[in-house]
Amino acid sequence: MPVTMASVTSDSLLLSDEDYLVLRAKQAFTVDPHSAKAWMLTAKTLYPNNFAVQFEAYNIVKSAKNVKEAAKCFETLLHQFQGDTELWNEVEALTKALRSDCGDPEPTFLRAMFASLSTDAQQQLLQVTADRSKDTMEHCRLLMILLSRFPHAVAKHGPRLVDTLLSAEKHSHFQGANNCYRKLLVCELVPLMGASPIPVELPPRQLYRLMHKMIEYYVSCLMSPDSNEPDPWDKLFLGFRSIGLMLNWDMSAVFSQPWGREHYWQQLLDKNEHLHQPLDPESHEVRQHIHCTAIFFLRCLQEYMSSLQAGDHQLILLESFVMTMSDREVSEPPAKRRKGDETIPLITVDAHTLLNAGSATNASSGTASNAQNNPGRERAVSTNVVNNFTAALRCWNMVNSQEAIYRGVSKLLQVLGVDQWLAAFHQDMQLYRGDVNEMVNNLLQFEKPENQGQIQNSTTAQNNINLVRNLRLASAFFYLRQLPAAVDRALQVVSMLSCLPPGGSLSSNLLKATYSLRHIHLLPLSRTCVLQYCAHLILSALQQHFVSQPTGGGATTTEIDMCVGNMLVLLQLELGDSEQPMPGALDLLGQLISHIRSRPSFSYPIFTNYIVNADILEEIMHLATKQDSPVAFEIAPPSSTQLTSQRRISTRGVDKGAKEDFKSAMRRQMARSSEPLEPLLIKFLTNEQDYVKRLLWPQSKAYAPRI
Amino acid sequence: MKYKIAYFMKWSFSQNACQNKHRLWTFPQRQLALSAIMQPSPMSDKQTLRKSEFPSCAREALQKVEQLCVPQAGGRPPSAKEMDLAMEIMAEFIFCEVDRRGNNKKLTCIQQLQLAQLLCDYFAGVHFGSGGPTGAAAGPSGDTARNTLFLSLFPPTTSKGRAQALVQLVSMAISTKNKPVLDSTGIWMQQLGCTSKLVLQLADGLVKDYFVLVPKAVTRLQDLPALAPHFTANLLSTVAEMYACSEQKDGFSPPPAALLEVITQWVSDNPRLCLTALVVNLQPLLPLGSIPMAALTPFAGLFRWCVLSPLLTTSNSIKASGDLSNGSSNGISNGKMNIKKEKGGGDMNSHKRDLGVGKEPPLYSQLHLALLESLVENVYPSVNRPNNVKDVVSVQHIAGIVEPVHNWYNKQLKLSESSPPHLSVDEHEALELALDRLGQAVQIALAANCVYGNKQYLLTQLDTLKHLPESRLLRIVLQTHQAPSLF
């Protein structure tokens, strides 16, 4: 009878052979690791197909923190026992560790072990895990880890992952392009496919789809203010180039160059000129050109749009004012302008509104002084926004020059969801080109669904939109010489001014002397600026009306007086505090005064309500008191006390008391000369709308002031 | 000498060559006749050489011997007479064993060192086989020429004195990292057989030089497997056998600790080292017509160390605790081998005391594991390795471990003072460890398909251990590998 071994416990006799060997290994582990390994090695060769034995071998080396050995064992396990749950738990722990930066010993060990696995095993591991993953996002993330670690696998798994991500996004019904699947697809997979050492094979249809999804994603990043995607354009161009290469585009090389608008433009232009005619919209060449042009246009457009928003106040492109021929010679040195530029409108900006820095101090001082402070910078900023606009225009012109290209680009832009930008750009472009009828039609179309009554209930945002539309319409009607309509819209704008941010300063650029026939202006959307624009527009409308009156016929004297009076009121804003009058303001004042002088009398019943400017008052005083043929003024509405006698403050007649009344009235006005003009003007344009309107509507002849 | 094969008889297959004890290679009769015509004048050569003193005469003699022994490119192989002349020149001018009249003489110690230095330089510096105008195409390559000369200098009949010179040469080559000499030595060892007396003598000399006399051998010998793998592998095999000789009572005598350490490190760090001799193809490196000898791997020998070590440690500890004065005289430690008879007993003992009485050195456990891993490595070679080799270890060689275990057990029972006789707790543990290691070694060798011969024989031998306290692992291994009985 054999003697029992001393160290073998009675328990171990009950164990199976496999468990016995594992037990021996475990027992030996703390005492003699070599012996433990020898036991494990023996067990492994005895039971190569026994999971418990192999897994225990793994656990032993794992608890010994032996990365290399553990990797070896794990690889065997992975190779042989893929279906086992216990192994699967370990695999999940491993993939979890791979995705985290957790510094705990266990994940750290697992990551190190993963790094020690053979590349085949690593790839197999991730692949299997991804395949088993039920959650699509999880699956995609795991595959992404796989692909980022094994660039050579991109060609194999990339296309399938594209499909998965696209359909996952589709079935998740996300709002907008900025969602997790799209982000993974665009920000991670596309660059990986671009960098793949083996060319990734995708059908062109899919590639175009991928490209559209990518552009759409980055555009949405550009559009949303809270997007934290850095350098979206760089990434967009990089992705564009990658996909372009997959599509065999020769133009994709262009997009690998650092961004330079002129540089890109030249190459695009060159390509455009060398397109094979007639254009086949489905051809490789034309599709390529459409995409390259569209993306270039998008960038120009985005730059223009963002430069409109860059300042303290958003800018809006409006028809502005040109000095009459005789005035032209005064300012604007002719050398600056080339001949034949008359058809191209002059574009001006109030540059200081584009400067964010030091706006508190700059806003209080006038435009001119501001311009003196840093003229160079302002010019650069203002040229920037104008250049952005003309670059976008130029590109759009190229797109428009060929029907197939135009259709392709429009369709593409529609897909990409840039309607908002495009609509705004179209309006600006129509104005610039003088396609104003079209613009008006568009604007009126937008107006229709809204009902006037609803405006009051709507939000400030909606108010803002309405205000901008009215402003655009005012400027458009003015361009079309539909003065009553223009003035009507301007008056509506003034009534809505409260929804605009206060601030801004008077612009010296609204009226420009230029060899061009037209002048358009980028106006900041602030209360002061918009008020100035409206006032100037109405003033110009009245002036044109005034000028258009044939001498000695048509308008009545009362009408003309009314017109002149209104102009005097409006002119006050631009005359300012007389130190820095806006260009042309003094000239106009001179014209109006000389007109009054040429008349025997001047009647403007609301004079005392609205005219407080010292210069005007002085001129009037002078006219009323001059020795030879003084003008008889009727400048005040009948006061309540005088109502019965119908006496008015005037210099008419020889009434001594009346003269005194006039003088004291003028003194009172003078005392008000420091009164803020903006509220006064708003009051005038709100309360005395009829005074202004009726002048321009010839059919209505009731000029009596409202009492 | 159970494992010795008639190495020399196999070396050369020509009858003609066998008749001449100095001739190591064969050549056709026709060429023999031709060489007779062109026979050089032996006397003139010798006289020329006699004009110079040692060591310069030795250098000139080496060149002469090379001319005589190594067939030049496209030239004829040496004739019998040329070989005789070469032998005479070696004896008189290189090793200075005889004077011109044939009387024995001996080099002084310094001269011996000079000779070793000279041989080292000669083997390392001379480009062999490049003499012929037609290039090396037809003639032997450089390595072959060098090996030819080496084998000529140290034929199987080498005298004791010349064997001593060989030890000095190889010892110097190891310390100066002289790869050419070590490579040739490795081939020489394999051709003579790792268990041949000469090779054992060499190994013994090297062990003395490097492990008994010199401290810190480990660091100095660390790179040897990388420098000269074939030599190292054959040295391993020889040393393994040297300490695990079946002819002695216990079947194993523990090697010096430093040697154990070096070997453990070599095997642990170089999983393919033990297989090197099997992998290297000697044929192109040997003199024309020679047959490469079968390689012997160190596995069986080293496994024997690992299995028997715990038994000896335990029995020794009993002796040590029982009767310290008799500890060294019981024949375990200094019995070793015939050649090891002189002294050494003291060294062994002091080494044992260092290890601590009764405790088996932990290095054996590591060495055992390294051996197992080397075997496994043979089955699953890592990247870009040659295919696995078979015939790594013979059935008999492994089965040879069984007998000493029996002997030990029987002896312990005899010595047991209790009735009925049984083993002490320590002895039980030692036996269990030994049997576990044996079981592991057999299992992995079988699983790795490394064993050749009649496997049934091995299993039958293992089966005899049934009479010992049961080892569960052995039972499992037997169950796994025994062919299902027909009855």
Side-chain angles (χ1 to χ4, degrees):
Chain A
M1 184 189 157
V3 188
T4 17
M5 283 290 184
S7 71
V8 178
T9 59
S10 54
D11 287 352
S12 69
L13 289 173
L14 303 172
L15 293 172
S16 69
D17 289 345
E18 291 92 324
D19 293 345
Y20 169 75
L21 293 177
V22 170
L23 177 73
R24 290 301 305 268
K26 276 183 173 170
Q27 281 176 343
F29 187 69
T30 45
V31 191
D32 179 359
H34 294 114
S35 157
K37 275 174 145 183
W39 275 109
M40 251 9 279
L41 210 55
T42 312
K44 275 161 84 175
T45 58
L46 271 169
Y47 308 105
N49 299 317
N50 182 304
F51 174 77
V53 169
Q54 306 287 335
F55 194 66
E56 199 53 43
Y58 165 70
N59 274 332
I60 284 176
V61 285
K62 187 181 161 189
S63 55
K65 300 265 171 261
N66 187 333
V67 170
K68 257 189 171 168
E69 287 287 329
K72 227 173 173 179
C73 291
F74 196 76
E75 214 168 313
T76 317
L77 285 169
L78 202 65
H79 191 68
Q80 249 178 313
F81 306 100
Q82 231 169 63
D84 194 278
T85 341
E86 216 172 331
L87 175 65
W88 194 247
N89 292 339
E90 193 67 14
V91 168
E92 283 186 335
L94 176 60
T95 50
K96 203 175 151 196
L98 282 180
R99 274 169 294 163
S100 77
D101 302 321
C102 177
D104 290 353
E106 168 91 5
T108 312
F109 176 83
L110 288 173
R111 277 196 296 270
M113 187 184 81
F114 183 83
S116 302
L117 290 176
S118 72
T119 43
D120 280 353
Q122 290 181 338
Q123 200 169 332
Q124 190 198 0
L125 179 84
L126 291 170
Q127 176 71 57
V128 167
T129 324
D131 288 349
R132 272 183 70 137
S133 171
K134 290 194 178 63
D135 177 50
T136 317
M137 197 63 210
E138 179 84 3
H139 169 81
C140 295
R141 287 232 168 90
L142 278 167
L143 272 184
M144 215 64 95
I145 296 178
L146 172 77
L147 299 189
S148 57
R149 278 170 194 267
F150 304 102
H152 285 272
V154 173
K156 189 181 163 201
H157 299 293
R160 219 183 58 191
L161 191 52
V162 170
D163 289 345
T164 312
L165 284 168
L166 283 176
S167 76
E169 187 191 350
K170 196 171 157 192
H171 290 105
S172 304
H173 305 291
F174 285 107
Q175 293 281 329
N178 202 339
N179 60 64
C180 54
Y181 294 112
R182 184 75 70 89
K183 208 173 153 110
L184 210 58
L185 178 71
V186 170
C187 300
E188 293 188 37
L189 187 53
V190 168
L192 276 176
M193 292 201 295
S196 170
I198 309 161
V200 181
E201 303 273 347
L202 271 174
R205 221 180 116 82
Q206 193 77 321
L207 282 172
Y208 280 116
R209 213 167 140 218
L210 190 60
M211 178 169 281
H212 298 165
K213 296 282 175 191
M214 179 189 70
I215 303 173
E216 192 189 11
Y217 171 78
Y218 284 118
V219 163
S220 83
C221 289
L222 287 162
M223 277 183 160
S224 81
D226 51 346
S227 159
N228 47 11
E229 187 73 57
D231 310 322
W233 275 116
D234 289 353
K235 287 178 186 162
L236 176 51
F237 274 27
L238 196 68
F240 189 79
R241 192 182 75 98
S242 299
I243 301 174
L245 278 174
M246 289 184 228
L247 284 161
N248 285 322
W249 286 356
D250 49 344
M251 284 292 282
S252 56
V254 173
F255 290 85
S256 63
Q257 300 158 357
W259 170 246
R261 196 163 54 201
E262 281 312 307
H263 185 56
Y264 272 60
W265 169 245
Q266 284 310 321
Q267 294 177 73
L268 217 54
L269 206 61
D270 186 56
K271 184 80 190 169
N272 190 53
E273 277 165 18
H274 292 94
L275 286 175
H276 293 92
Q277 302 288 350
L279 297 181
D280 170 12
E282 292 306 308
S283 76
H284 179 254
E285 184 194 27
V286 172
R287 291 184 94 169
Q288 172 183 189
H289 190 66
I290 286 172
H291 279 84
C292 294
T293 311
I295 201 145
F296 174 80
F297 171 70
L298 257 187
R299 185 150 190 181
C300 294
L301 181 61
Q302 191 267 334
E303 284 183 347
Y304 170 58
M305 287 300 159
S306 66
S307 62
L308 286 183
Q309 310 282 348
D312 296 338
H313 302 286
Q314 189 196 331
L315 296 178
I316 177 167
L317 192 70
L318 296 172
E319 182 72 22
S320 199
F321 314 99
V322 182
M323 278 186 194
T324 50
M325 283 302 280
S326 58
D327 301 329
R328 275 185 196 174
E329 298 142 32
V330 186
S331 55
E332 196 80 19
K336 258 192 172 177
R337 297 262 149 198
R338 285 182 290 123
K339 276 183 184 172
D341 271 2
E342 285 163 20
T343 48
I344 303 170
L346 169 73
I347 309 176
T348 56
V349 202
D350 279 332
H352 69 279
T353 55
L354 294 169
L355 297 172
N356 284 313
S359 55
T361 49
N362 284 346
S364 55
S365 56
T367 314
S369 66
N370 206 353
Q372 279 160 3
N373 287 345
N374 44 11
R377 188 171 164 209
E378 275 177 23
R379 185 155 304 156
V381 173
S382 60
T383 17
N384 191 28
V385 65
V386 174
N387 284 347
N388 288 342
F389 180 59
T390 47
L393 258 178
R394 173 175 75 173
C395 182
W396 192 247
N397 285 338
M398 184 183 87
V399 168
N400 261 309
S401 65
Q402 311 204 57
E403 176 66 15
I405 304 291
Y406 172 75
R407 246 186 279 153
V409 170
S410 310
K411 211 169 133 192
L412 184 56
L413 292 177
Q414 223 166 9
V415 171
L416 300 178
V418 291
D419 319 352
Q420 219 182 316
W421 286 350
L422 218 51
F425 173 72
H426 273 307
Q427 288 172 3
D428 290 349
M429 185 178 60
Q430 284 162 350
L431 181 70
Y432 178 86
R433 285 187 182 160
D435 300 337
V436 179
N437 276 318
E438 208 178 317
M439 176 187 169
V440 168
N441 288 339
N442 285 342
L443 286 167
L444 291 175
Q445 232 168 22
F446 277 110
E447 199 169 40
K448 266 175 193 156
E450 269 119 34
N451 191 307
Q452 291 283 323
Q454 279 178 334
I455 288 173
Q456 282 179 339
N457 301 334
S458 55
T459 59
T460 28
Q462 186 59 46
N463 276 339
N464 202 314
I465 290 168
N466 290 333
L467 181 139
V468 168
R469 187 168 51 235
N470 278 325
L471 204 53
R472 283 184 187 280
L473 279 169
S475 103
F477 285 130
F478 182 79
Y479 170 81
L480 294 169
R481 294 289 179 269
Q482 297 182 18
L483 300 178
V487 170
D488 185 46
R489 293 290 171 173
L491 289 169
Q492 282 190 38
V493 169
V494 172
S495 71
M496 297 163 83
L497 271 181
S498 58
C499 72
L500 283 181
S505 53
L506 293 180
S507 167
S508 57
N509 286 329
L510 285 185
L511 182 65
K512 273 288 185 190
T514 167
Y515 283 96
S516 308
L517 294 173
R518 291 182 61 209
H519 168 210
I520 52 180
H521 181 74
L522 283 153
L523 185 80
L525 267 182
S526 77
R527 272 186 213 167
T528 306
C529 298
V530 172
L531 177 65
Q532 187 198 0
Y533 178 81
C534 291
H536 201 108
L537 185 139
I538 296 166
L539 188 62
S540 295
L542 292 175
Q543 191 181 358
Q544 281 177 25
H545 183 75
F546 178 66
V547 167
S548 69
Q549 295 302 318
T551 37
T556 61
T557 314
T558 335
E559 277 175 353
I560 288 171
D561 281 358
M562 192 73 74
C563 189
V564 170
N566 288 345
M567 284 169 82
L568 282 175
V569 175
L570 293 169
L571 192 58
Q572 292 182 99
L573 189 65
E574 302 221 319
L575 283 171
D577 54 3
S578 83
E579 279 167 25
Q580 286 289 340
M582 294 299 126
L586 285 177
D587 293 340
L588 186 57
L589 178 62
Q591 283 178 39
L592 293 173
I593 295 300
S594 65
H595 170 80
I596 296 170
R597 183 186 294 141
S598 67
R599 312 282 292 228
S601 67
F602 178 72
S603 161
Y604 190 58
I606 53 173
F607 186 100
T608 51
N609 291 2
Y610 299 109
I611 291 183
V612 294
N613 182 280
D615 290 345
I616 298 175
L617 293 173
E618 268 171 29
E619 292 288 347
I620 299 293
M621 279 295 279
H622 177 70
L623 288 180
T625 53
K626 66 175 179 171
Q627 289 307 307
D628 61 321
S629 60
V631 181
F633 282 96
E634 206 170 305
I635 55 164
S639 63
S640 48
T641 49
Q642 291 164 332
L643 204 66
T644 40
S645 66
Q646 291 291 307
R647 204 180 71 157
R648 294 174 181 182
I649 297 174
S650 73
T651 55
R652 198 183 292 272
V654 288
D655 186 344
K656 184 118 192 222
K659 267 191 180 168
E660 281 310 311
D661 277 357
F662 176 77
K663 274 182 187 167
S664 63
M666 289 309 274
R667 269 198 295 276
R668 275 201 304 277
Q669 294 306 106
M670 204 57 125
R672 286 173 62 192
S673 67
S674 58
E675 202 172 291
L677 286 164
E678 286 179 37
L680 187 76
L681 235 61
I682 292 171
K683 193 176 149 203
F684 170 73
L685 289 171
T686 315
N687 295 343
E688 316 299 341
Q689 283 190 29
D690 291 348
Y691 266 111
V692 183
K693 278 185 191 168
R694 280 173 198 162
L695 285 171
L696 301 166
W697 273 274
Q699 62 270 31
S700 58
K701 292 281 180 183
Y703 294 122
R706 267 189 316 190
I707 297 157
Chain B
M1 299 295 269
K2 204 167 171 182
Y3 305 113
K4 282 191 185 170
I5 313 159
Y7 44 86
F8 182 56
M9 296 303 282
K10 274 196 189 170
W11 197 339
S12 166
F13 54 75
S14 154
Q15 287 295 320
N16 194 357
C18 279
Q19 281 157 14
N20 186 331
K21 61 178 182 176
H22 294 306
R23 285 252 297 284
L24 303 174
W25 40 77
T26 66
F27 40 85
Q29 287 294 330
R30 194 177 56 80
Q31 289 205 344
L32 186 69
L34 194 72
S35 69
I37 302 162
M38 300 169 68
Q39 200 176 63
S41 152
M43 285 322 283
S44 63
D45 279 328
K46 281 193 185 176
Q47 264 147 15
T48 316
L49 287 168
R50 276 173 194 147
K51 280 175 189 158
S52 39
E53 290 291 307
F54 185 86
S56 50
C57 69
R59 194 174 296 114
E60 287 165 33
L62 269 176
Q63 282 163 0
K64 190 68 209 165
V65 169
E66 194 196 338
Q67 280 170 19
L68 290 169
C69 298
V70 181
Q72 297 300 310
R76 65 206 159 75
S79 68
K81 275 192 176 173
E82 280 174 326
M83 282 311 298
D84 285 343
L85 174 60
M87 289 302 155
E88 284 166 29
I89 292 174
M90 282 180 220
E92 186 179 340
F93 299 103
I94 299 177
F95 296 106
C96 303
E97 295 154 337
V98 289
D99 63 11
R100 66 172 73 182
R101 287 173 193 85
N103 301 322
N104 285 357
K105 64 176 230 183
K106 213 180 167 191
L107 286 175
T108 64
C109 289
I110 292 174
Q111 282 176 324
Q112 283 172 15
L113 277 176
Q114 279 180 319
L115 175 61
Q117 182 68 55
L118 189 140
L119 286 169
C120 269
D121 292 349
Y122 193 83
F123 279 101
V126 173
H127 299 285
F128 289 95
S130 58
T134 49
S141 71
D143 285 342
T144 313
R146 191 188 64 229
N147 293 334
T148 307
L149 180 60
F150 195 94
L151 288 166
S152 307
L153 285 173
F154 304 102
T157 51
T158 299
S159 67
K160 198 182 162 195
R162 200 182 288 190
Q164 197 52 43
L166 177 62
V167 171
Q168 276 181 332
L169 169 64
V170 178
S171 188
M172 187 176 281
I174 291 174
S175 59
T176 58
K177 300 192 192 303
N178 189 323
K179 184 172 163 59
V181 170
L182 295 179
D183 285 348
S184 289
T185 311
I187 287 164
W188 177 86
M189 290 170 94
Q190 186 162 339
Q191 288 304 91
L192 263 72
C194 287
T195 50
S196 70
K197 195 181 163 198
L198 264 180
V199 177
L200 286 167
Q201 266 176 344
L202 170 64
D204 188 51
L206 293 177
V207 168
K208 269 194 207 129
D209 276 3
Y210 276 89
F211 301 100
V212 181
L213 303 175
V214 189
K216 301 275 177 206
V218 180
T219 45
R220 296 182 56 181
L221 293 173
Q222 216 168 338
D223 305 332
L224 200 59
L227 180 72
H230 187 241
F231 167 75
T232 314
N234 280 327
L235 181 64
L236 260 186
S237 302
T238 309
V239 171
E241 292 305 314
M242 198 162 93
Y243 289 91
C245 180
S246 59
E247 282 176 353
Q248 68 170 93
K249 202 172 108 203
D250 294 308
F252 170 60
S253 87
L259 177 62
L260 177 64
E261 198 183 340
V262 168
I263 287 179
T264 306
Q265 194 185 4
W266 280 351
V267 180
S268 301
D269 294 350
N270 307 278
R272 298 284 294 180
L273 179 63
C274 292
L275 300 163
T276 309
L278 292 173
V279 176
V280 174
N281 180 13
L282 289 189
Q283 188 68 73
L285 301 171
L286 291 175
L288 196 65
S290 297
I291 299 170
M293 299 299 292
L296 178 72
T297 60
F299 283 111
L302 293 178
F303 272 132
R304 197 175 170 125
W305 291 21
C306 298
V307 172
L308 298 182
S309 152
L311 301 182
L312 291 205
T313 320
T314 310
S315 57
N316 193 54
S317 78
I318 291 163
K319 300 294 166 324
S321 57
D323 184 2
L324 268 173
S325 59
N326 281 345
S328 57
S329 60
N330 65 10
I332 295 167
S333 19
N334 56 2
K336 246 209 256 174
M337 300 202 58
N338 330 344
I339 50 145
K340 245 336 239 181
K341 269 176 198 154
E342 333 92 333
K343 49 191 171 172
D347 294 324
M348 290 297 118
N349 250 358
S350 66
H351 136 74
K352 245 180 213 171
R353 270 196 295 277
D354 290 344
L355 296 173
V357 169
K359 267 225 161 174
E360 193 229 12
L363 280 174
Y364 281 106
S365 180
Q366 193 187 342
L367 175 61
H368 181 65
L369 174 66
L371 290 167
L372 297 179
E373 284 178 334
S374 296
L375 284 176
V376 172
E377 176 79 7
N378 186 38
V379 197
Y380 313 107
S382 316
V383 242
N384 295 331
R385 288 271 173 69
N387 290 333
N388 58 333
V389 285
K390 284 182 179 171
D391 301 355
V392 176
V393 135
S394 80
V395 162
Q396 284 81 5
H397 211 164
I398 291 194
I401 308 174
V402 172
E403 200 194 332
V405 177
H406 272 301
N407 293 343
W408 177 87
Y409 180 67
N410 294 333
K411 196 179 83 187
Q412 295 314 116
L413 285 187
K414 261 183 223 163
L415 291 171
S416 171
E417 282 150 13
S418 46
S419 172
H422 63 82
L423 298 181
S424 71
V425 174
D426 285 350
E427 287 164 346
H428 258 306
E429 279 183 6
L431 181 60
E432 192 191 12
L433 182 55
L435 292 182
D436 282 343
R437 282 193 185 154
L438 180 60
Q440 290 169 350
V442 169
Q443 162 56 27
I444 287 175
L446 288 172
N449 205 15
C450 289
V451 182
Y452 66 99
N454 184 354
K455 288 191 184 91
Q456 200 50 52
Y457 170 73
L458 174 61
L459 297 175
T460 313
Q461 284 296 304
L462 288 180
D463 211 36
T464 62
L465 294 169
K466 271 202 291 206
H467 307 293
L468 273 55
E470 191 201 36
S471 159
R472 189 162 174 185
L473 175 62
L474 265 183
R475 201 190 68 210
I476 296 170
V477 171
L478 280 169
Q479 277 169 0
T480 309
H481 293 282
Q482 253 160 358
S485 171
L486 287 172
F487 305 101

